[in-house]
């Protein structure tokens, strides 16, 4: 619809957003694996949507680097390599360590109370079996942390990484004993922030990321070994 100024007003693309979230959650939770092709006709029939709606959603996921779209092949879920994981965690350590430092240095009482509520929500979700809700709670925790660090560049840089961070975070949760370890590390980050200890908060955040990286790389290596073994068992391999 055109306005008197000639600008175009578009209604919110709620259907497209739901399709994006469905596909994103399917990738995050491992229902669609890295390297797997997304067959557009099948998805359209399964979801009862038009091809144009699906392609709009796929373009968003491509911008988030969750999928790649290649000529004559179509959309494929990105397969995370060990190098990609190392690169991403190195950047996480820098940015999130800085964010924790600045939050502890600058945050007011209201900011710290918001962080406490986010940590409490994360603990509640960690006791359930809903991985999607758990990932959403951890995303909320980092949203509060980034809002309180008062650095617009850090907040601008991280959104482009969040989906890939969530994908790696989903991978690192694949070792069951990692979750209680992760929660203890987040409690320590909060404790250092509550104590107004910037250096301690930064060190705790970076230690958390180093441990998450170690677990994620273990899982990735195991997945690569299973994939190689499976390919070796195929007839003619």
């Amino acid at each position: 619809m055109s306005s008197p100024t000639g600008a175009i007003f578009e209604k919110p693309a709620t259907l497209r957003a739901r399709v994006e979230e469905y596909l994103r959650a399917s990738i995050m939770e491992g229902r669609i694996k890295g390297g797997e092709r997304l067959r557009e006709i099948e998805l359209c029939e399964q979801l009862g949507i038009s091809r144009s709606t699906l392609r709009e959603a796929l373009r968003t996921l491509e911008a988030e680097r969750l999928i790649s779209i290649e000529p004559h092949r179509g959309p494929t879920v990105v397969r995370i390599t060990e190098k990609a994981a190392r690169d991403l965690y190195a950047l996480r350590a820098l940015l999130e360590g800085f964010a924790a430092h600045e939050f502890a240095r600058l945050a007011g009482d209201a900011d710290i109370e918001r962080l406490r509520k986010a940590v409490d929500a994360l603990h509640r979700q960690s006791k359930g079996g809903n991985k999607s809700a758990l990932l959403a709670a951890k995303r909320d925790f980092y949203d509060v942390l980034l809002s309180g660090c008062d650095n617009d560049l850090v907040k601008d840089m991280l959104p482009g990484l969040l989906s890939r961070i969530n994908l790696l975070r989903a991978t690192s949760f694949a070792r069951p004993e990692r979750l209680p370890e992760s929660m203890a590390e987040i409690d320590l980050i909060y404790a250092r922030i509550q104590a107004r200890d910037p250096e301690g908060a930064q060190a705790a955040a970076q230690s958390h990321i180093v441990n998450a990286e170690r677990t994620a790389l273990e899982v990735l290596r195991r997945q690569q070994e299973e994939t190689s073994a499976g390919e070796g068992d195929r007839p003619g391999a």
Side-chain angles (χ1 to χ4, degrees):
M1 181 178 69
S2 297
S3 71
T5 64
I8 304 298
F9 172 78
E10 295 181 355
K11 294 182 179 179
T14 55
L15 177 59
R16 184 191 68 196
R18 291 201 302 271
V19 173
E20 289 172 11
E21 184 54 36
Y22 170 81
L23 293 174
R24 189 181 292 110
S26 296
I27 295 170
M28 296 294 120
E29 296 172 15
R31 296 194 298 272
I32 305 176
K33 307 293 185 183
E36 185 174 339
R37 289 182 61 189
L38 300 176
R39 303 184 185 280
E40 293 186 18
I41 294 176
E42 293 177 8
L43 283 170
C44 288
E45 292 176 352
Q46 176 187 346
L47 302 177
I49 58 175
S50 69
R51 204 154 186 173
S52 61
T53 298
L54 176 63
R55 287 182 171 175
E56 288 175 358
L58 291 174
R59 280 195 290 270
T60 299
L61 298 182
E62 183 184 29
E64 295 175 2
R65 298 190 184 181
L66 287 179
I67 67 170
S68 62
I69 301 177
E70 303 172 13
H72 313 300
R73 178 173 172 81
T76 304
V77 178
V78 170
R79 191 190 300 274
I80 297 180
T81 65
E82 185 172 330
K83 182 182 185 306
R86 289 186 184 279
D87 290 349
L88 186 52
Y89 275 108
L91 188 55
R92 277 190 66 191
L94 290 172
L95 295 180
E96 293 179 12
F98 176 83
H101 181 284
E102 293 301 280
F103 194 105
R105 187 174 70 88
L106 299 172
D109 292 342
D111 296 315
I112 291 179
E113 175 62 14
R114 287 178 60 218
L115 190 65
R116 183 193 65 77
K117 290 179 178 178
V119 172
D120 287 348
L122 186 53
H123 272 285
R124 288 194 299 273
Q125 295 300 337
S126 72
K127 294 179 174 63
N130 189 329
K131 183 183 288 187
S132 180
L134 177 60
L135 291 171
K138 194 155 192 183
R139 185 169 58 245
D140 290 343
F141 167 80
Y142 280 110
D143 285 345
V144 175
L145 189 68
L146 291 173
S147 295
C149 79
D150 196 30
N151 187 298
D152 291 338
L153 286 178
V154 171
K155 288 188 287 185
D156 287 343
M157 291 171 68
L158 274 176
L161 300 174
L162 284 179
S163 291
R164 282 172 289 161
I165 288 171
N166 284 340
L167 181 54
L168 286 169
R169 190 174 293 136
T171 300
S172 67
F173 285 149
R175 182 165 67 85
E177 62 270 27
R178 172 59 192 154
L179 184 54
E181 295 171 356
S182 178
M183 293 306 308
E185 292 159 10
I186 288 171
D187 285 341
L188 180 59
I189 294 170
Y190 172 72
R192 292 298 87 214
I193 287 174
Q194 187 181 37
R196 313 285 184 166
D197 176 6
E199 286 74 20
Q202 182 173 20
Q206 290 178 335
S207 177
H208 171 61
I209 294 163
V210 167
N211 292 332
E213 177 187 20
R214 184 181 302 115
T215 301
L217 291 176
E218 289 173 2
V219 173
L220 285 173
R221 291 186 191 116
R222 186 169 67 245
Q223 290 173 345
Q224 289 167 359
E225 290 169 0
E226 291 170 354
T227 299
S228 298
E231 290 173 350
D233 290 339
R234 290 176 186 169

